[in-house]
Amino acid sequence: MKLKNLINFDEQQQVFHLHNGNISYILGIDEGGVLSHLYFGPRIKNYHGQLKNPRKDRGFSDNLPEAQERTFSLDFVLQEYSSQGDGDFRNPAAIIRQANGSYSARFVYKDYKISFGKPQLDGLPAAYVIKKNEAQTLKIILEDQVNQLELILIYTIYQDYDVIARSVELINKSDKSVHIEKLASMQLDLPAGKKQQVISLPGAHANERQLQREDINAGTKIFESRRGTTSHQMNNFIAICDSQTDEFQGNIIGLSFVYSGNHKEEIEKDQYGATRILVGINDEQFDWEVKSQQTFQTPEVLMTYSAQGMNKMSDNLHRLMRERVARGKYKFAPRPILVNNWEATFMDFDENKLKPIVDEAKKLGIEMFVLDDGWFGHRDDDNTSLGDWKVFARKFPQGLKRFVDYIHANGLKFGLWFEPEMISIDSELYQQHPDYMLKVPGSKPSPSRNQYVLDMGRQEVRDNIYNQMTAILDSCQIDYVKWDMNRHLTDIYSPVLPANRQGEVLHRYVLGLYQMLEKITTEYPDILWEGCSGGGGRFDAGFLYYMPQSWTSDNTDAVARIKIQYGTSIAYPISSMTAHVSASPNQQTGRLTSMKTRGEVAMSGVLGYELDLTKLSSVDKKEVQAQIAFYKKIRSLVQYGKFIRLISPYDNNRCAWMFVSDDKNEAIVFSFKIMSEAQPAFEILKLSGLDADKTYKNLDTGAVIGGDELMNTGFYEPITQADFSSQVYHFKALAG
């Protein structure tokens, strides 16, 4: 297939135009070599120059060096990338400390290069191409001649995905070192206009990615993590939309940062009503030395635009993340239904106590048993043994292999929990290598969960953990690994770096982690890898690159999970979200919820169970068997179909979402009512994403309804006089 150019440069207008069938992104070379932003939105055929930045003499706005007139200032121009000290007083994208101590930098246009394909980012996860001609990349080279620095702005646009990937590379061509104190991965300056809002995903442990929407007003709004990871508290995704935008209509720009460490998303509305958006590594505790002739590459941002509301924006990101960020054997494979022993036994188990759970899992149709925390070292509680990845002999007296063979003999796969980035004081690893721990000299480190953090930026630390892990992985057939991380980073110091480079520790930690993940996941391609950080504390596109799914939250309460999974779906595909049925009353909230509702919330993700199967009543066992049998029928549709949000639990006493097959011949709808009411309304549910010309059969009732009817007239939902109720509707198109 020959690809039409997706990127054009108009020599006369000095304008770059990135475009595919649905979107356009336009930027131009302006006065003095300034790179100006012009447009991001629906596809336009040709640009005729009407959006050149207007000129006006603005008071207290600096002009370009040696300017003879006063109508052009970086203080109000919509730029593609800004730096501190160049006369733009808004939040800068770059702050660079020069060798002479100055913080001033002025980058102007030098050159460009357009190529097919998409370059890999050295040491960083990023979206990729399978065929070179499915995307084009623009590299724009800016230079600071005084300080001999080059800044390369990298843009990749896909032919079949409404996404532009952006990142930045700084090259030091001087003979002296410079220090980066801030280098955003992207800047987007939007002109003044109608009222805009920002959507973000804040939260807390066991309450991750709660949907937040607020007006953009004058000043700066910051969304960030300073915890060393993406964090439960603030995900590294934001969206900018018109105030009237909803799930099905309106303009919206989504921005997802492909990174798993400290991040910052800045929204600034300036004095003239324009909006600046910056996304990148958080500059707090960040200071990176770039020596002579060296480079620094920022992580990537995925930008998408939708004129059809939030669902379309999410679908753009879902498709790209499933198909061009996630990798490996399980990218499109059916994810197995598992049972995890954590909420059943915690660390109080041995081989004999676990076998009855395995036996019951086989009877119920479960496909995998996962052994969680407590199998290694001498770990009976969370005060010991992290860093000692050797089988706990008292719990498995004949080794792990005999238990794993027992599981496989019962027709189940086997999964195992690790927490590779952590260390306990009570461990052989600490006794042998106390310097492996992040710790400021002369200070006592801060425990969390009575554990500490390994310095993953160091090769020898990674090698030690890698060798221990692979010894276990090679000892028996392990089909799945849950990679956990149960605290944030403190005591930020590495003994292998000099004093003036301690600002590199946090980013080096992430780069070292990525190096280890790349190595181990590549060398063990048949293992299904799942990310976890106390639940959803490191749920991001960067981790998705190595692990196709992550534990969405430690909160397994079905009612709480409705909001968590709804919020997560704004930015991430369903195939990345694991969801488990747990006991009732729930261990996190104490809430009583029916097995039906628990199952149907969990079936809206990658289904699993996390309870003691041996203690289920006969009625619940039959319900679980039915859930598993049904999920196996719809598994491909749920995990890889088009996901559509219908009713938000943030605005209603109900929630609904649905999954539609690519050919629109099948749809599964989940509807939830939160609290019962004495005099409930008769409520209509309208579907979306179906073929209006097709006729669909409700597989439960046998009713036949047109696709146009299901989407426009909808149907009345049954009234249930119970809290936390749920309904499932399964439709298939009739032939002909």
Side-chain angles (χ1 to χ4, degrees):
M1 176 183 69
K2 185 176 181 181
L3 180 70
K4 296 178 181 178
N5 279 331
L6 300 173
I7 302 173
N8 302 107
F9 179 59
D10 186 320
E11 292 277 359
Q12 184 176 357
Q13 294 191 78
Q14 294 286 283
V15 165
F16 298 94
H17 184 183
L18 293 75
H19 55 84
N20 59 24
N22 296 314
I23 61 173
S24 284
Y25 190 97
I26 304 173
L27 57 152
I29 306 166
D30 214 324
E31 186 176 332
V34 173
L35 199 63
S36 295
H37 176 73
L38 299 172
Y39 175 80
F40 183 34
R43 166 71 190 273
I44 60 175
K45 293 180 181 178
N46 296 292
Y47 170 70
H48 291 89
Q50 64 275 13
L51 288 179
K52 186 174 181 179
N53 278 290
R55 270 46 174 172
K56 183 174 176 58
D57 184 357
R58 302 275 197 186
F60 291 89
S61 289
D62 293 12
N63 306 118
L64 298 182
E66 301 182 335
Q68 298 302 308
E69 53 85 36
R70 302 186 299 187
T71 63
F72 186 84
S73 173
L74 296 184
D75 198 30
F76 60 79
V77 168
L78 304 180
Q79 294 189 73
E80 276 298 303
Y81 208 81
S82 60
S83 57
Q84 183 160 296
D86 64 1
D88 183 346
F89 294 97
R90 294 167 289 183
N91 291 314
I95 301 175
I96 301 170
R97 188 170 79 251
Q98 310 294 352
N100 63 4
S102 165
Y103 282 89
S104 291
R106 184 180 295 276
F107 290 99
V108 298
Y109 176 80
K110 179 182 179 182
D111 201 359
Y112 79 94
K113 179 181 179 182
I114 298 173
S115 59
F116 285 104
K118 184 177 188 296
Q120 292 184 321
L121 302 186
D122 186 31
L124 288 165
Y128 57 86
V129 295
I130 293 177
K131 297 180 180 178
K132 189 175 182 180
N133 62 359
E134 69 176 278
Q136 262 188 308
T137 295
L138 167 67
K139 290 187 176 182
I140 297 180
I141 303 169
L142 308 179
E143 67 174 347
D144 178 341
Q145 292 183 342
V146 172
N147 295 299
Q148 299 180 56
L149 303 175
E150 280 190 355
L151 195 67
I152 302 176
L153 307 185
I154 306 170
Y155 306 75
T156 296
I157 184 167
Y158 285 84
Q159 177 177 239
D160 296 325
Y161 303 92
D162 296 342
V163 174
I164 295 172
R166 290 186 60 179
S167 66
V168 173
E169 183 181 10
L170 181 74
I171 305 174
N172 181 6
K173 295 202 165 184
S174 75
D175 58 1
K176 299 181 177 66
S177 292
V178 300
H179 282 256
I180 299 171
E181 295 193 6
K182 179 181 182 181
L183 197 67
S185 293
M186 60 143 284
Q187 174 176 313
L188 180 62
D189 284 0
L190 300 176
K194 62 178 69 175
K195 189 72 174 179
Q196 291 184 313
Q197 295 182 321
V198 57
I199 295 170
S200 58
L201 299 175
H205 175 240
N207 194 36
E208 296 88 347
R209 289 172 299 285
Q210 300 294 299
L211 180 61
Q212 176 175 271
R213 184 166 175 167
E214 54 196 310
D215 291 341
I216 297 175
N217 296 312
T220 300
K221 177 73 175 177
I222 294 175
F223 307 91
E224 65 178 345
S225 172
R226 296 173 291 169
R227 298 167 178 266
T229 71
T230 317
S231 86
H232 310 80
Q233 289 71 24
M234 185 61 68
N235 193 256
N236 52 9
F237 162 88
I238 59 170
I240 312 300
C241 64
D242 297 339
S243 58
Q244 74 274 19
T245 296
D246 60 25
E247 290 285 13
F248 298 99
Q249 62 85 35
N251 299 299
I252 184 167
I253 294 170
L255 304 169
S256 181
F257 191 32
V258 189
Y259 189 63
S260 306
N262 281 356
H263 59 89
K264 178 186 279 189
E265 296 75 42
E266 300 173 74
I267 310 289
E268 179 183 12
K269 189 171 185 178
D270 71 13
Q271 58 188 323
Y272 306 114
T275 300
R276 171 165 291 177
I277 306 160
L278 300 170
V279 178
I281 296 173
N282 198 325
D283 48 304
E284 183 167 319
Q285 294 191 75
F286 178 81
D287 184 325
W288 193 276
E289 182 182 21
V290 185
K291 295 181 179 179
S292 174
Q293 309 307 312
Q294 288 188 347
T295 67
F296 180 84
Q297 172 67 56
T298 72
E300 184 169 88
V301 177
L302 303 175
M303 301 174 45
T304 186
Y305 168 82
S306 163
Q308 300 163 27
M310 293 168 60
N311 268 312
K312 174 60 175 166
M313 176 208 67
S314 297
D315 187 53
N316 292 345
L317 290 174
H318 291 183
R319 289 183 59 240
L320 186 90
M321 289 187 189
R322 279 198 313 261
E323 299 170 17
R324 294 297 183 272
V325 176
R327 303 178 298 165
K329 174 180 177 179
Y330 289 94
K331 184 165 104 170
F332 296 120
R335 310 289 172 78
I337 302 166
L338 62 82
V339 61
N340 184 302
N341 75 296
W342 178 247
E343 290 194 19
T345 66
F346 296 98
M347 298 186 199
D348 182 19
F349 64 81
D350 59 20
E351 183 175 351
N352 292 328
K353 189 172 182 178
L354 296 175
K355 283 182 176 179
I357 300 177
V358 175
D359 297 340
E360 201 61 49
K362 177 182 179 181
K363 296 175 186 176
L364 296 174
I366 289 172
E367 299 164 324
M368 179 184 290
F369 176 88
V370 176
L371 178 59
D372 211 281
D373 193 357
W375 59 268
F376 55 94
H378 54 277
R379 190 167 170 90
D380 284 319
D381 55 42
D382 55 16
N383 298 320
T384 178
S385 299
L386 288 171
D388 295 345
W389 300 107
K390 300 172 185 176
V391 177
F392 193 169
R394 177 170 59 76
K395 294 183 178 181
F396 299 95
Q398 298 189 44
L400 189 61
K401 186 177 186 304
R402 188 177 78 157
F403 179 58
V404 174
D405 288 345
Y406 179 84
I407 291 168
H408 286 132
N410 277 278
L412 276 68
K413 295 180 181 294
F414 174 73
L416 191 60
W417 180 96
F418 285 92
E419 193 170 5
E421 301 161 65
M422 299 295 145
I423 186 170
S424 301
I425 296 294
D426 181 11
S427 67
E428 292 180 12
L429 182 63
Y430 182 79
Q431 299 307 313
Q432 296 167 5
H433 300 286
D435 63 303
Y436 280 10
M437 187 172 74
L438 287 178
K439 180 181 179 298
V440 178
S443 299
K444 293 182 179 180
S446 302
S448 178
R449 199 176 177 243
N450 206 23
Q451 62 189 56
Y452 302 85
V453 184
L454 289 169
D455 186 355
M456 297 298 287
R458 295 169 59 181
Q459 184 69 52
E460 65 271 28
V461 176
R462 298 194 300 272
D463 287 346
N464 184 295
I465 299 301
Y466 170 85
N467 290 334
Q468 289 193 62
M469 288 184 67
T470 54
I472 295 292
L473 297 179
D474 292 339
S475 70
C476 53
Q477 183 183 334
I478 296 173
D479 307 293
Y480 158 109
V481 167
K482 180 179 178 182
W483 183 298
D484 210 342
M485 181 197 191
N486 283 305
R487 64 158 292 170
H488 292 142
L489 275 59
T490 58
D491 308 289
I492 310 303
Y493 183 89
S494 177
V496 300
L497 293 174
N500 69 339
R501 293 178 61 193
Q502 289 300 316
E504 300 178 14
V505 173
L506 286 168
H507 185 50
R508 288 190 179 278
Y509 182 101
V510 178
L511 292 178
L513 173 64
Y514 285 157
Q515 185 184 92
M516 184 172 176
L517 292 177
E518 179 70 23
K519 180 178 176 65
I520 201 165
T521 59
T522 301
E523 293 181 1
Y524 293 86
D526 292 331
I527 290 177
L528 171 58
W529 297 86
E530 178 172 318
C532 180
S533 180
R538 195 162 55 185
F539 202 112
D540 57 72
F543 233 73
L544 180 63
Y545 183 79
Y546 304 101
M547 301 189 178
Q549 62 188 47
S550 283
W551 183 221
T552 314
S553 176
D554 274 350
N555 189 342
T556 56
D557 174 72
V559 179
R561 268 301 189 103
I562 290 172
K563 282 189 173 181
I564 293 170
Q565 290 173 207
Y566 192 99
T568 304
S569 77
I570 300 292
Y572 302 101
I574 301 302
S575 59
S576 69
M577 297 162 49
T578 52
H580 294 177
V581 176
S582 63
S584 181
N586 179 263
Q587 292 182 357
Q588 289 82 39
T589 66
R591 185 179 281 123
L592 291 164
T593 313
S594 71
M595 180 62 77
K596 180 178 186 297
T597 297
R598 282 178 278 157
E600 289 169 5
V601 172
M603 277 193 278
S604 299
V606 178
L607 175 64
Y609 291 81
E610 193 151 339
L611 39 68
D612 191 339
L613 300 176
T614 66
K615 295 180 179 179
L616 292 177
S617 68
S618 58
V619 172
D620 278 348
K621 287 180 180 179
K622 288 181 180 179
E623 178 73 26
V624 169
Q625 282 181 314
Q627 288 173 359
I628 291 170
F630 180 60
Y631 188 75
K632 289 176 179 178
K633 293 179 182 178
I634 64 168
R635 172 164 38 194
S636 178
L637 178 60
V638 168
Q639 294 177 4
Y640 302 109
K642 181 176 182 178
F643 178 74
I644 303 172
R645 295 177 298 271
L646 301 174
I647 300 172
S648 170
Y650 292 92
D651 305 316
N652 300 275
N653 187 35
R654 52 197 293 235
C655 174
W657 51 55
M658 64 183 291
F659 304 84
V660 184
S661 62
D662 288 341
D663 60 11
K664 300 185 178 183
N665 282 334
E666 185 177 9
I668 186 84
V669 185
F670 294 87
S671 177
F672 309 99
K673 183 72 174 283
I674 311 302
M675 300 302 296
S676 181
E677 299 165 293
Q679 292 292 346
F682 299 109
E683 294 176 310
I684 290 175
L685 180 62
K686 294 182 181 181
L687 308 189
S688 183
L690 303 176
D691 188 328
D693 296 324
K694 290 182 178 179
T695 302
Y696 293 85
K697 181 178 181 179
N698 184 320
L699 299 186
D700 296 311
T701 66
V704 175
I705 314 173
D708 55 350
E709 294 177 278
L710 288 168
M711 292 188 290
N712 295 312
T713 69
F715 55 87
Y716 282 107
E717 292 207 81
I719 292 176
T720 54
Q721 296 297 104
D723 292 340
F724 323 129
S725 61
S726 61
Q727 301 290 333
V728 177
Y729 308 98
H730 193 186
F731 297 94
K732 282 196 176 180
L734 298 178

